[in-house]
Amino acid sequence: MAALSKIPFAVYFVFIWGVSILLVNPLGEFPLNDDWAFAKSVWVLCETGKMTINDWPAMTLVGQVAWGALFAKIFGLSHVVLRVSTLIASLIGASTFYKLALYFSINRKIAAFASLLLFFNPLYFSLSFTFMTDVHFMAGMLLSIYFFLLYHKDARFKYLLLGALFSVFTTMIRQPGILVPLAFALTAYAKRQTSAAKILHFIPLLVTGLALVLHSFWLKSMAGDTASVGQIADLWTFIEKQNLWHWKTRISQSLFYAGLFLLPLSLLLWSEIREMMKKKSSWIIIAACVAVVGFALVKSSYPHGNILYNLGLGPKVLKDTYGFNNLRPHFEGEIWPILLRILSATGLLFLLIHLCWRAVVMKFSMLAPPGYTRVAKINLLIFTLLYLLFLVIVAGYFDRYTIPLVVSIGLVVIPSKVKISVPAFRIACLCLALVAFFSIRFTHDYLSWNRARWNALNDLMTNHGVSALDIDGGFEFNSWLKTRKSIYGKPGTSWWFVNNDDYVLAFGNLDGFSKFKGYYYPQLLSFERDSIYVLKKDNID
């Protein structure tokens, strides 16, 4: 046992990472979610040497495409290789988070627990098996934050330079990456230093901003098909249409996700809440936190969806499931949203109490002599507020957008010293195990039914001679093959590039269609047998 305790956590983590990949099985030559659009850019870059962004993505993307192309050039051009590139980014991101947790805490158990909680976060874990931008963005963001925090501790120019480089890389994946150097620049005013030293804090922001400007000019120089890429003017147009209720809804949704996914960490740090409850004056703060959570619960549209849907992970965008028909597995009625609201509200309450306690103990005061950990916490708090503001004002909102918020709040909550009780540790580990089980099981099933789907579609086209133009195979199939030039088709067809829907992929029955053939797909640790079906329109001979 003594020998095992000397093994670095990195070894255990790589082992857990590898076992998780084997359990899920990332194999399958098909796109997932929106990553068909990102993969197309990688395909073009590898085959023609030209960096392009097609008409679907709304982000900068070039960093992601370059990362994917690097792997494709070495290992070959395929969706599996691009998925592997994301898994590597996922490992880098979670490992960097471990380093960041150690930056604040001398307790390696807390750092290890927090990094595993990020890795098995259902959104982060599921997206790790795609070529979506979220995980690559997180890896770059965490590396950038890590070097900026090292600069707070030891003001070496190399840390400033590395932080700036990763800020540029992150912003060239998704535009909100610029919030990292912006938060770092604003933190300069929390430090007692010379004006020249404060100016240095703005160098990464200027470099990253220049990269965004050059990216915008590059887009304009391309031929015509990049109107969907988000611009400042589009953001401002959306902001002008907002009202206070919109702000309340977005903030509530975002904080509920943070409360839900950080609940195991809050339980691990239960001793802080217990200490706070012993102080009579603290009950005023606790009452205020309860009131905030109660206000957030009122008429909040939650969960919002995209990755986490009912009892499952990964979007099922088929003709039937898009209309919430044949969607399984799932809880009936309002059980699922009510359960999530209870867990999320509890987690949010604990988080607010932790943050209030941390404000008292750490004294986040701009007037107090700031040590480097306090300045680092202020840096993270500024980023948290900036990113929460982004979630409020951005036009499109998905649950996966909340991952950076969850991570930044988690780092703020992590204490430098804390006494972890044995019961709290056991309960927290049990919660972590349940989260890991949920993520592994339903990510496996997401990949499994997609393999069955594409086997069915390939069989339909190859062995039955059906043209892709006559198939509604779901969002990813029709988008990847672009079976129709314009996205919207004839009335009655699905909204995604469907030319004709003589044949439809579905999980069950649809009016006007009959089952043509079924394809079984296995589910992890389940005794259920489920299938996906090719349906044929009734009036087709």
Side-chain angles (χ1 to χ4, degrees):
M1 294 297 293
L4 290 176
S5 64
K6 295 180 180 179
I7 298 175
F9 172 70
V11 175
Y12 289 112
F13 186 71
V14 170
F15 175 76
I16 292 170
W17 176 77
V19 170
S20 300
I21 292 173
L22 291 175
L23 289 173
V24 170
N25 182 10
L27 300 180
E29 194 52 29
F30 46 79
L32 295 166
N33 205 337
D34 282 335
D35 73 8
W36 61 269
F38 316 143
K40 280 188 178 293
S41 294
V42 175
W43 252 252
V44 172
L45 179 59
C46 290
E47 292 174 347
T48 69
K50 183 180 178 182
M51 176 70 75
T52 61
I53 298 177
N54 67 29
D55 58 351
W56 187 261
M59 67 288 295
T60 42
L61 195 63
V62 292
Q64 166 109 352
V65 174
W67 176 264
L70 173 65
F71 281 79
K73 282 293 187 181
I74 297 172
F75 301 105
L77 194 56
S78 74
H79 290 289
V80 175
V81 168
L82 296 184
R83 233 167 271 147
V84 170
S85 78
T86 312
L87 286 166
I88 298 294
S90 174
L91 178 63
I92 293 171
S95 300
T96 305
F97 186 79
Y98 175 73
K99 289 289 188 180
L100 283 165
L102 284 179
Y103 183 97
F104 295 110
S105 177
I106 61 174
N107 192 324
R108 292 185 177 273
K109 283 186 178 179
I110 293 177
F113 184 92
S115 60
L116 288 173
L117 187 60
L118 168 61
F119 179 66
F120 286 117
N121 177 304
L123 306 181
Y124 186 86
F125 187 84
S126 178
L127 288 163
S128 297
F129 290 83
T130 71
F131 190 58
M132 296 288 284
T133 59
D134 306 85
V135 172
H136 301 81
F137 176 84
M138 282 301 306
M141 186 196 89
L142 288 168
L143 283 166
S144 181
I145 290 175
Y146 177 66
F147 286 112
F148 284 147
L149 296 195
L150 285 181
Y151 185 80
H152 291 316
K153 185 177 181 180
D154 185 1
R156 295 186 182 184
F157 186 73
K158 67 175 183 180
Y159 295 143
L160 192 73
L161 178 62
L162 287 169
L165 287 174
F166 282 111
S167 289
V168 171
F169 175 74
T170 306
T171 307
M172 288 300 100
I173 296 175
R174 300 188 72 93
Q175 293 89 327
I178 199 171
L179 298 180
V180 176
L182 176 58
F184 176 72
L186 294 176
T187 309
Y189 297 100
K191 300 170 71 173
R192 293 182 177 177
Q193 54 186 355
T194 64
S195 298
K198 288 182 179 180
I199 290 174
L200 287 175
H201 280 71
F202 285 84
I203 291 177
L205 178 62
L206 293 173
V207 172
T208 309
L210 178 61
L212 267 180
V213 171
L214 292 175
H215 181 273
S216 180
F217 281 122
W218 171 69
L219 282 180
K220 291 177 181 178
S221 70
M222 294 175 63
D225 60 350
T226 56
S228 65
V229 178
Q231 303 293 328
I232 297 297
D234 302 327
L235 187 63
W236 183 251
T237 300
F238 180 73
I239 293 172
E240 290 179 323
K241 299 178 181 178
Q242 295 177 8
N243 54 41
L244 290 177
W245 193 254
H246 167 87
W247 279 65
K248 180 263 177 191
T249 301
R250 283 284 181 88
I251 291 173
S252 299
Q253 289 170 336
S254 303
L255 293 180
F256 276 166
Y257 279 114
L260 176 67
F261 295 130
L262 291 174
L263 179 58
L265 181 61
S266 297
L267 294 174
L268 183 70
L269 305 177
W270 175 256
S271 59
E272 281 194 346
I273 296 179
R274 189 173 57 189
E275 287 296 319
M276 190 174 186
M277 292 174 69
K278 292 179 181 179
K279 300 180 181 295
K280 293 182 179 179
S281 58
S282 298
W283 282 98
I284 298 175
I285 297 175
I286 294 174
C289 292
V290 172
V292 170
V293 173
F295 178 75
L297 279 168
V298 177
K299 292 185 179 180
S300 292
S301 176
Y302 178 80
H304 192 271
N306 186 243
I307 302 300
L308 180 64
Y309 73 90
N310 205 282
L311 193 61
L313 291 172
K316 290 184 173 180
V317 191
L318 301 178
K319 188 176 179 68
D320 56 343
T321 54
Y322 191 75
F324 300 103
N325 297 316
N326 304 322
L327 188 62
R328 55 183 182 272
H330 70 285
F331 283 119
E332 296 290 343
E334 293 296 314
I335 296 177
W336 178 247
I338 290 174
L339 176 62
L340 278 189
R341 281 172 182 248
I342 292 172
L343 293 174
S344 302
T346 303
L348 177 57
L349 177 62
F350 289 168
L351 278 181
L352 291 173
I353 294 174
H354 279 304
L355 290 171
C356 290
W357 175 256
R358 200 60 39 73
V360 172
V361 175
M362 297 295 295
K363 296 179 181 178
F364 293 134
S365 172
M366 299 295 184
L367 303 176
Y372 74 85
T373 54
R374 187 181 304 160
V375 172
K377 291 279 187 178
I378 292 172
N379 192 160
L380 288 169
L381 280 170
I382 293 173
F383 173 78
T384 300
L385 293 173
L386 289 173
Y387 194 81
L388 184 58
L389 176 63
F390 162 75
L391 291 176
V392 171
I393 65 178
V394 68
Y397 181 91
F398 299 108
D399 54 10
R400 53 191 170 86
Y401 289 177
T402 62
I403 300 175
L405 181 72
V406 172
V407 167
S408 61
I409 292 177
L411 287 172
V412 172
V413 168
I414 289 176
S416 57
K417 293 181 181 179
V418 68
K419 187 177 180 180
I420 302 175
S421 66
V422 175
F425 181 74
R426 289 174 177 172
I427 293 172
C429 286
L430 176 60
C431 290
L432 176 59
L434 291 174
V435 171
F437 171 77
F438 181 90
S439 297
I440 292 173
R441 191 247 161 123
F442 289 110
T443 301
H444 168 276
D445 293 354
Y446 177 55
L447 271 292
S448 181
W449 77 257
N450 270 285
R451 277 189 290 272
R453 175 192 10 187
W454 285 82
N455 286 337
L457 292 166
N458 289 329
D459 179 42
L460 188 61
M461 291 185 291
T462 303
N463 298 323
H464 297 277
V466 179
S467 170
L469 299 177
D470 297 322
I471 302 173
D472 179 355
F475 172 65
E476 295 92 339
F477 172 80
N478 293 90
S479 300
W480 175 249
L481 297 183
K482 279 291 179 76
T483 53
R484 183 182 178 88
K485 288 184 178 181
S486 59
I487 186 170
Y488 299 108
K490 296 178 293 185
T493 61
S494 303
W495 59 264
W496 50 78
F497 301 104
V498 176
N499 186 61
N500 289 313
D501 59 355
D502 295 342
Y503 293 85
V504 170
L505 256 290
F507 280 100
N509 297 318
L510 277 174
D511 291 339
F513 292 84
S514 300
K515 287 180 179 177
F516 179 74
K517 194 173 182 179
Y519 299 81
Y520 164 75
Y521 64 92
Q523 300 177 78
L524 187 65
L525 299 177
S526 173
F527 297 104
E528 296 180 1
R529 292 182 59 86
D530 215 338
S531 297
I532 193 165
Y533 299 94
V534 173
L535 306 183
K536 184 178 180 180
K537 191 171 285 186
D538 290 338
N539 60 1
I540 301 298
D541 293 331

XYZ file of all heavy atoms in Angstrom, residues 407-449:
337
model
N -16.138 25.164 -14.290
C -14.717 25.011 -13.967
C -14.203 26.195 -13.155
O -13.503 26.025 -12.146
C -13.897 24.839 -15.261
C -12.410 25.000 -14.996
C -14.168 23.465 -15.870
N -14.525 27.411 -13.585
C -14.007 28.595 -12.883
C -14.577 28.699 -11.475
O -13.852 29.017 -10.526
C -14.308 29.862 -13.679
O -15.699 30.061 -13.851
N -15.869 28.405 -11.305
C -16.463 28.433 -9.966
C -15.841 27.341 -9.102
O -15.564 27.545 -7.914
C -17.989 28.263 -10.036
C -18.631 29.490 -10.693
C -18.580 28.060 -8.642
C -20.131 29.386 -10.876
N -15.602 26.181 -9.690
C -14.974 25.088 -8.943
C -13.609 25.483 -8.415
O -13.253 25.167 -7.268
N -12.821 26.181 -9.224
C -11.494 26.616 -8.784
C -11.593 27.671 -7.681
O -10.774 27.694 -6.755
C -10.709 27.170 -9.969
C -10.205 26.130 -10.974
C -9.620 26.816 -12.205
C -9.172 25.209 -10.338
N -12.588 28.555 -7.776
C -12.773 29.564 -6.735
C -13.136 28.907 -5.412
O -12.672 29.315 -4.341
C -13.862 30.579 -7.154
C -14.198 31.509 -5.984
C -13.401 31.397 -8.349
N -13.949 27.864 -5.460
C -14.431 27.200 -4.247
C -13.326 26.395 -3.556
O -13.314 26.268 -2.332
C -15.631 26.287 -4.589
C -15.964 25.365 -3.435
C -16.837 27.138 -4.939
N -12.383 25.842 -4.326
C -11.346 24.984 -3.738
C -10.558 25.760 -2.681
O -9.999 26.814 -2.962
C -10.399 24.455 -4.828
C -11.118 23.429 -5.706
C -9.154 23.816 -4.210
C -10.310 22.921 -6.864
N -10.487 25.237 -1.452
C -9.797 25.943 -0.368
C -8.314 25.581 -0.295
O -7.886 24.555 -0.813
C -10.528 25.429 0.874
C -10.895 24.018 0.511
C -11.156 24.014 -0.977
N -7.537 26.442 0.352
C -6.123 26.134 0.542
C -5.948 25.048 1.597
O -5.124 24.149 1.458
C -5.356 27.391 0.953
O -5.926 27.949 2.131
N -6.742 25.136 2.648
C -6.706 24.119 3.700
C -8.136 23.821 4.130
O -8.956 24.720 4.273
C -5.913 24.609 4.910
C -4.427 24.806 4.655
C -3.731 25.278 5.925
C -2.236 25.503 5.686
N -1.551 25.984 6.917
N -8.422 22.568 4.334
C -9.743 22.185 4.816
C -9.658 20.800 5.433
O -8.868 19.954 4.986
C -10.786 22.189 3.668
C -10.508 21.088 2.666
C -12.205 22.075 4.217
N -10.433 20.594 6.462
C -10.487 19.294 7.112
C -11.644 18.507 6.524
O -12.802 18.902 6.633
C -10.668 19.460 8.620
C -10.575 18.149 9.388
C -10.691 18.385 10.874
C -10.584 17.058 11.641
N -10.702 17.275 13.108
N -11.316 17.397 5.855
C -12.345 16.575 5.215
C -12.716 15.431 6.151
O -11.861 14.619 6.517
C -11.841 16.022 3.872
C -11.439 17.145 2.940
C -12.911 15.154 3.219
C -10.832 16.678 1.642
N -13.982 15.383 6.523
C -14.424 14.302 7.394
C -14.570 13.016 6.594
O -14.800 13.041 5.381
C -15.757 14.662 8.050
O -16.789 14.742 7.077
N -14.453 11.886 7.261
C -14.568 10.587 6.591
C -15.956 10.388 5.972
O -16.063 9.967 4.817
C -14.235 9.439 7.578
C -14.481 8.074 6.928
C -12.776 9.538 8.025
N -17.053 10.708 6.701
C -18.383 10.554 6.080
C -18.552 11.424 4.834
O -19.105 10.972 3.825
C -19.344 10.991 7.194
C -18.589 10.781 8.450
C -17.170 11.102 8.125
N -18.063 12.679 4.899
C -18.182 13.570 3.736
C -17.384 13.020 2.559
O -17.839 13.074 1.412
C -17.698 14.964 4.098
N -16.208 12.486 2.833
C -15.372 11.928 1.767
C -16.057 10.732 1.112
O -16.067 10.606 -0.117
C -14.018 11.511 2.343
C -13.069 10.946 1.327
C -12.432 11.772 0.414
C -12.816 9.586 1.277
C -11.561 11.258 -0.529
C -11.950 9.062 0.342
C -11.319 9.896 -0.564
N -16.670 9.879 1.923
C -17.337 8.689 1.379
C -18.554 9.073 0.542
O -18.779 8.520 -0.538
C -17.736 7.759 2.522
C -16.547 7.066 3.192
C -16.986 6.266 4.398
N -15.853 5.555 4.995
C -15.919 4.898 6.150
N -17.079 4.872 6.839
N -14.856 4.283 6.625
N -19.344 10.013 1.053
C -20.547 10.442 0.314
C -20.155 11.106 -1.001
O -20.750 10.848 -2.053
C -21.391 11.398 1.177
C -21.982 10.642 2.377
C -22.511 12.022 0.347
C -22.670 11.536 3.383
N -19.125 11.960 -0.961
C -18.668 12.649 -2.168
C -18.132 11.660 -3.196
O -18.405 11.789 -4.394
C -17.604 13.678 -1.808
N -17.373 10.668 -2.728
C -16.833 9.654 -3.647
C -17.954 8.822 -4.262
O -17.880 8.433 -5.436
C -15.837 8.756 -2.924
S -14.242 9.551 -2.599
N -18.994 8.540 -3.481
C -20.143 7.811 -4.011
C -20.828 8.629 -5.105
O -21.188 8.090 -6.164
C -21.135 7.504 -2.885
C -22.448 6.820 -3.304
C -22.176 5.463 -3.963
C -23.383 6.655 -2.108
N -20.995 9.926 -4.860
C -21.598 10.805 -5.873
C -20.737 10.849 -7.132
O -21.249 10.801 -8.259
C -21.771 12.214 -5.317
S -23.044 12.357 -4.055
N -19.420 10.932 -6.957
C -18.505 10.946 -8.104
C -18.617 9.650 -8.891
O -18.622 9.662 -10.134
C -17.069 11.154 -7.625
C -15.977 11.096 -8.702
C -16.199 12.157 -9.775
C -14.596 11.263 -8.068
N -18.724 8.523 -8.176
C -18.855 7.229 -8.847
C -20.147 7.164 -9.651
O -20.167 6.628 -10.774
C -18.811 6.097 -7.820
N -21.234 7.722 -9.101
C -22.513 7.734 -9.818
C -22.430 8.612 -11.064
O -22.967 8.259 -12.121
C -23.630 8.225 -8.888
C -24.014 7.289 -7.737
C -25.015 7.972 -6.815
C -24.589 5.983 -8.276
N -21.755 9.755 -10.945
C -21.570 10.641 -12.093
C -20.757 9.933 -13.172
O -21.083 9.980 -14.370
C -20.876 11.950 -11.670
C -20.479 12.781 -12.891
C -21.795 12.772 -10.770
N -19.675 9.242 -12.752
C -18.826 8.515 -13.706
C -19.608 7.411 -14.396
O -19.497 7.220 -15.620
C -17.609 7.942 -12.987
N -20.414 6.686 -13.629
C -21.233 5.619 -14.205
C -22.209 6.171 -15.236
O -22.341 5.634 -16.338
C -22.004 4.878 -13.110
C -23.029 3.914 -13.631
C -22.649 2.679 -14.127
C -24.372 4.255 -13.665
C -23.593 1.786 -14.625
C -25.323 3.374 -14.163
C -24.932 2.143 -14.645
N -22.880 7.268 -14.881
C -23.840 7.890 -15.792
C -23.148 8.308 -17.083
O -23.640 8.042 -18.195
C -24.484 9.096 -15.110
C -25.509 9.813 -15.949
C -26.845 9.449 -15.908
C -25.132 10.859 -16.784
C -27.792 10.106 -16.673
C -26.068 11.523 -17.558
C -27.402 11.141 -17.504
N -21.998 8.979 -16.958
C -21.298 9.498 -18.128
C -20.795 8.377 -19.027
O -20.950 8.434 -20.252
C -20.129 10.385 -17.682
O -20.599 11.512 -16.976
N -20.178 7.368 -18.440
C -19.637 6.260 -19.232
C -20.752 5.472 -19.897
O -20.703 5.187 -21.100
C -18.783 5.326 -18.353
C -17.507 6.040 -17.908
C -18.416 4.040 -19.104
C -16.681 5.267 -16.898
N -21.779 5.145 -19.134
C -22.848 4.306 -19.671
C -23.556 4.982 -20.848
O -23.724 4.401 -21.919
C -23.856 3.970 -18.570
C -24.843 2.864 -19.007
C -26.238 3.410 -19.126
N -27.087 2.560 -19.947
C -28.224 2.030 -19.527
N -28.600 2.182 -18.296
N -28.986 1.366 -20.370
N -23.951 6.248 -20.654
C -24.773 6.870 -21.681
C -23.955 7.450 -22.839
O -24.489 7.635 -23.925
C -25.684 7.924 -21.052
C -26.775 7.305 -20.217
C -26.762 7.418 -18.837
C -27.781 6.562 -20.811
C -27.750 6.824 -18.063
C -28.773 5.958 -20.047
C -28.760 6.084 -18.667
N -22.669 7.710 -22.609
C -21.810 8.059 -23.745
C -21.574 6.823 -24.605
O -21.566 6.907 -25.841
C -20.474 8.635 -23.256
O -20.724 9.800 -22.459
C -19.596 9.027 -24.439
N -21.385 5.666 -23.966
C -21.272 4.407 -24.712
C -22.509 4.176 -25.571
O -22.415 3.845 -26.755
C -21.087 3.229 -23.746
C -21.249 1.891 -24.391
N -22.495 1.300 -24.584
C -20.352 1.020 -24.904
C -22.346 0.136 -25.190
N -21.053 -0.062 -25.388
N -23.671 4.356 -24.973
C -24.913 4.101 -25.695
C -25.104 5.098 -26.837
O -25.653 4.753 -27.894
C -26.106 4.176 -24.733
C -26.082 3.046 -23.711
O -25.218 2.159 -23.827
O -26.916 3.057 -22.792
N -24.644 6.341 -26.635
C -24.724 7.351 -27.688
C -23.898 6.928 -28.902
O -24.359 7.012 -30.047
C -24.218 8.685 -27.131
C -24.180 9.820 -28.130
C -25.311 10.192 -28.843
C -22.998 10.533 -28.338
C -25.273 11.248 -29.744
C -22.955 11.590 -29.234
C -24.093 11.946 -29.934
O -24.047 12.991 -30.829
N -22.682 6.455 -28.659
C -21.834 5.981 -29.765
C -22.401 4.696 -30.364
O -22.349 4.495 -31.585
C -20.413 5.735 -29.269
C -19.388 6.877 -29.293
C -19.038 7.254 -30.712
C -19.831 8.084 -28.494
N -22.976 3.851 -29.523
C -23.486 2.562 -29.984
C -24.637 2.728 -30.965
O -24.663 2.103 -32.037
C -23.934 1.721 -28.788
O -24.404 0.452 -29.197
N -25.617 3.566 -30.618
C -26.757 3.715 -31.534
C -26.356 4.459 -32.801
O -26.939 4.243 -33.867
C -27.964 4.350 -30.849
C -27.965 5.821 -30.604
C -27.727 6.451 -29.435
C -28.273 6.857 -31.556
N -27.843 7.819 -29.593
C -28.187 8.095 -30.878
C -28.612 6.866 -32.904
C -28.414 9.315 -31.495
C -28.842 8.090 -33.525
C -28.745 9.288 -32.834
